[in-house]
Amino acid sequence: MSERSSAVEQVRAGLPLLVDGFAAWRDAARALLAHDIPPQDVTWGSPHTGGDLLTSAPPPAAAGDNGVTPSPSPPSLPQQQRPLRPAPHIPRAFMEMLQSAACCRVPDRWAFLYRVIWRWQQCEHDVQSPADEDGARLNAMVKAVRREEHDMHAYIRFRERPEQAGPPRFVAWYEPRHDVLPQVARHFVARMGKVSWMIATPEASVLWDGQTLHDAGPIVKGPEELDDSGEALWLTYYRSVFNPARLNADIMHQHIASDRWKNLPEAKIVPQMVKDASRGARKVGQYEAVGQRKGTTIPIAPADAQPERQQPSSLDECRRCELWEFATQAVPGEGPKKAKIMFVGEQPGDQEDLAGQPFVGPAGKLLDSVCAQAGVDRDTIYVTNAVKHFKWEPRGKRRLHKTPVQREIEACHYWLDKELASVKPTVIVALGATALKSVLRTANVTLKNHLGKPMRHEGHWVVTTYHPSYVLRVPSEDAKREAFKVMVDSLKLAHELLERPPEEGEQGDLGV
Ligand code: URA
C-alpha cells in the first residue's frame, strides 16, 4: 500500500496521522487533498510526542481572492468513488514558506499547515498574506524560524576534542527553540570544510565526518557530556577578534538574549575584557587604529626588520612575524610525507584559520575541482601555504583576507624550507603571485611572466599558475573559464614533469 493511500485510509478509519517531518507531512497532505478530505476530518500528531493530536478548526467559509468561492465537494458520490482532484500547483516560494513554518515548534503545526494548504487549494490565495488571519500566523512562524537559524549560526560554539579521542574533531551543544538543526548543519558543512564535527541538541544530533552528514537522535544529554578541551582555542579566537575600540557593552548585551549567554564560553572572559576596555584598552585600541593609518613609509631591509631570535621549535610557537597574534592558530601543510607534487598557496583563509587545515574553504573546493578535472587525486599532493597564519582585517563581523607583505613572506620561508627539505617534491605548483615570490625567494617576479612555464629552481620543477581565489573572484564568466583551464593545464603539466628529467638549455634557475 502506498504512503499516500495509507494516509487516506488511516483518516477514513478515524486514525490519527503521525508525521515526523515536512516530507512526510507533504506526502500525506498531497494524498488528502487529492481525495478532497477537509482539514476538520484529519487528526495530526507527531510520533515523538504521540500526543498533540490536533485537528484543524474548519477553515473560514469565506470567498477566496478575486471573489472565487471555494467549490463545495460533490455531495452525490460516496467518497471512495469521487474522481481524484489534480494536485494543486504550489509556487516554490510558498512551498518554501510552508517548509520553513514546519520547523516552528507549535503543537498544532501539521494541522495548521494542512488548513493553510487546503485553503490554497480552494483558491484562497490570501492565505499566505500577513493580512489574513492564518497568513499572519504563517508569516510569524517563518520569521521565528529564520531568527532561530540566524541565532544558531551566530551563537553556536565548537570546541576541539583531543586528537587521540578520534573524530569528531569539534563538538558543539545548542538548545534551539525550533527544529532548525538540519539547515544549520548544512550551513556548517559549507563553512567548515573537511574537518569533522558534531552538533548536539536535546532532541537530535548531527555528525559531519568530512564527507557525509549523519543524523542521530538525542545521543548527548547536555553540554557537560561534551569534551570542553576546545574551549581554550575558542577563547583565543574570541580575544583575537575582540576590538576594544569598537566596544559598546550595552549593545552587546542587548543583542544576545540572556538565555544564550549561558552556553557561550566567552561569557567567562567578556566581563574582564569589558572592564579592561573601560580602563584604557579602548584608548589603546584607538591608538592602534590611528597607528595603522597610512603614513610615510620608511624602507627597511627585511633582515633589519626581523632581529635574530631563537628559532621556534614548533609552528604553534612561531613569533617570526606579528601575524600569529591575530590568527586563531598556525596552519601547517598537509599531505603525504613524500608527495611528488607540492601546492603552495598564499596563506590560510578564514575557514582554514578555524579548521587548522589548508585549503578547506571555497578556494580549496575550487582546487578540488581543478584536481578532478586534471585527473590528479588531491590526496596525493602535499598542500601548504607561503605564510602559515591568517592575515585579516575586520569588516563588521567578518574577517577579510589581507595580502601578506614581503617581510611576512620572508619570515615564513623558514617553515616552507623545512617542508621542502622533508617532502622533497619533484614539482612545486605555485598558486598565485605570493606563492611564486616565496618559492623563488624574490619579490621581483610577476605571475604573468611565469604563468604555465615550467622552470628549474633549487632542484625542483616549478610551475606557476593562478590562485584559486582569482578564479572565484574574476567577474566575467569567460575569464573564469579561461583561468580555470589555465589551472587545470598547469596541473597536467606538473604531472607530466614528474617523468621529465631536467633538460639542458631549458629555462633554468632564475638567477635573481
Ligand atoms: N587561500 C590560500 O592561499 N590558502 C589557503 O589555505 C586557503 C585559501
Side-chain angles (χ1 to χ4, degrees):
M1 191 190 310
S2 79
E3 289 216 0
R4 283 168 170 240
S5 58
S6 80
V8 172
E9 272 149 33
Q10 266 177 274
V11 170
R12 286 190 178 144
L15 296 171
L17 273 186
L18 302 183
V19 290
D20 63 357
F22 182 73
W25 170 84
R26 190 191 50 208
D27 289 347
R30 273 196 193 127
L32 300 176
L33 289 175
H35 286 83
D36 243 347
I37 297 182
Q40 61 271 28
D41 288 1
V42 192
T43 304
W44 296 89
S46 143
H48 307 303
T49 56
D52 286 350
L53 298 177
L54 291 154
T55 306
S56 310
D65 59 357
N66 307 323
V68 182
T69 310
S71 52
S73 310
S76 49
L77 286 173
Q79 272 188 340
Q80 324 274 16
Q81 293 161 24
R82 272 187 221 151
L84 291 185
R85 256 186 194 265
H89 170 69
I90 310 287
R92 196 159 144 191
F94 185 41
M95 190 52 101
E96 282 170 4
M97 259 183 113
L98 296 174
Q99 186 162 8
S100 209
C103 303
C104 188
R105 287 188 193 152
V106 288
D108 64 337
R109 68 180 114 170
W110 305 122
F112 171 71
L113 291 178
Y114 186 59
R115 185 166 87 168
V116 167
I117 198 130
W118 166 268
R119 289 188 56 200
W120 178 275
Q121 163 144 300
Q122 308 298 312
C123 296
E124 290 186 50
H125 292 174
D126 281 355
V127 73
Q128 64 171 330
S129 154
D132 177 276
E133 200 182 323
D134 285 338
R137 188 172 177 219
L138 182 68
N139 279 280
M141 286 163 74
V142 170
K143 197 163 163 200
V145 167
R146 300 222 166 117
R147 167 97 217 185
E148 190 58 18
E149 287 165 5
H150 166 272
D151 280 5
M152 197 161 165
H153 293 166
Y155 302 131
I156 205 160
R157 298 292 181 259
F158 284 97
R159 295 157 185 209
E160 191 173 19
R161 301 173 68 233
E163 213 165 312
Q164 63 272 23
R169 176 109 173 263
F170 293 93
V171 290
W173 170 259
Y174 198 83
E175 294 171 34
R177 296 174 181 141
H178 299 294
D179 295 337
V180 295
L181 182 57
Q183 56 269 43
V184 170
R186 286 194 294 277
H187 166 86
F188 284 105
V189 165
R191 175 140 180 83
M192 293 186 41
K194 285 187 173 170
V195 61
S196 63
W197 49 260
M198 181 176 91
I199 301 175
T201 76
E203 301 78 25
S205 305
V206 283
L207 179 83
W208 170 249
D209 63 11
Q211 287 180 339
T212 312
L213 203 54
H214 306 270
D215 289 329
I219 49 178
V220 173
K221 289 199 192 73
E224 61 288 346
E225 286 190 6
L226 297 175
D227 188 331
D228 70 355
S229 60
E231 197 156 309
L233 181 73
W234 167 251
L235 293 182
T236 309
Y237 168 72
Y238 191 80
R239 278 197 190 96
S240 79
V241 295
F242 179 83
N243 180 352
R246 298 185 60 196
L247 174 70
N248 185 330
D250 292 341
I251 289 185
M252 190 163 157
H253 279 96
Q254 274 165 26
H255 279 199
I256 306 181
S258 51
D259 63 332
R260 300 291 188 207
W261 274 107
K262 69 178 186 212
N263 286 325
L264 295 184
E266 69 265 29
K268 290 185 202 143
I269 59 169
V270 163
Q272 189 58 43
M273 292 202 303
V274 169
K275 237 200 231 158
D276 290 350
S278 61
R279 276 209 300 257
R282 194 181 322 219
K283 257 194 199 159
V284 175
Q286 281 160 1
Y287 291 153
E288 274 179 7
V290 172
Q292 280 164 11
R293 288 200 191 139
K294 283 208 168 71
T296 314
T297 308
I298 302 169
I300 184 164
D304 296 341
Q306 287 161 23
E308 283 295 316
R309 295 192 199 124
Q310 255 193 336
Q311 301 300 7
S313 58
S314 80
L315 187 54
D316 285 338
E317 292 168 14
C318 185
R319 304 291 182 263
R320 295 175 61 83
C321 74
E322 64 284 3
L323 293 185
W324 66 273
E325 218 179 324
F326 305 100
T328 308
Q329 57 195 316
V331 178
E334 197 176 70
K337 286 193 174 64
K338 293 292 165 208
K340 294 203 171 118
I341 299 180
M342 180 184 279
F343 278 156
V344 180
E346 185 192 76
Q347 60 160 352
D350 181 57
Q351 298 195 22
E352 288 78 14
D353 170 79
L354 296 172
Q357 289 176 286
F359 283 106
V360 291
K365 296 220 166 65
L366 192 119
L367 210 50
D368 289 344
S369 313
V370 169
C371 291
Q373 190 74 27
V376 177
D377 181 358
R378 174 170 162 173
D379 290 342
T380 63
I381 299 176
Y382 187 91
V383 181
T384 191
N385 283 298
V387 170
K388 308 291 194 250
H389 281 109
F390 178 35
K391 182 176 181 182
W392 56 276
E393 58 188 352
R395 184 74 52 83
K397 268 179 104 179
R398 296 172 55 212
R399 303 187 299 165
L400 289 194
H401 158 275
K402 217 170 162 203
T403 307
V405 295
Q406 189 62 16
R407 178 169 47 84
E408 292 151 352
I409 298 171
E410 287 176 12
C412 236
H413 279 161
Y414 176 77
W415 298 108
L416 186 60
D417 283 346
K418 274 180 177 274
E419 289 175 300
L420 286 169
S422 130
V423 179
K424 298 190 180 66
T426 309
V427 186
I428 302 170
V429 180
L431 304 167
T434 301
L436 184 64
K437 288 176 190 169
S438 175
V439 169
L440 300 183
R441 303 286 185 271
T442 173
N444 298 325
V445 278
T446 60
L447 192 68
K448 212 170 83 201
N449 289 345
H450 293 279
L451 210 55
K453 295 180 198 152
M455 72 182 102
R456 295 288 303 168
H457 181 74
E458 295 184 349
H460 310 278
W461 286 108
V462 177
V463 173
T464 306
T465 192
Y466 289 119
H467 190 282
S469 302
Y470 169 74
V471 183
L472 294 172
R473 243 188 1 248
V474 68
S476 109
E477 279 309 311
D478 283 350
K480 218 183 258 303
R481 249 192 311 277
E482 181 53 29
F484 183 81
K485 184 172 177 307
V486 169
M487 289 194 73
V488 172
D489 290 346
S490 304
L491 182 51
K492 285 183 180 164
L493 173 64
H495 202 253
E496 283 161 28
L497 289 170
L498 296 180
E499 307 304 327
R500 198 192 301 179
E503 284 166 19
E504 237 176 285
E506 191 161 40
Q507 185 179 3
D509 215 321
L510 277 185
V512 282

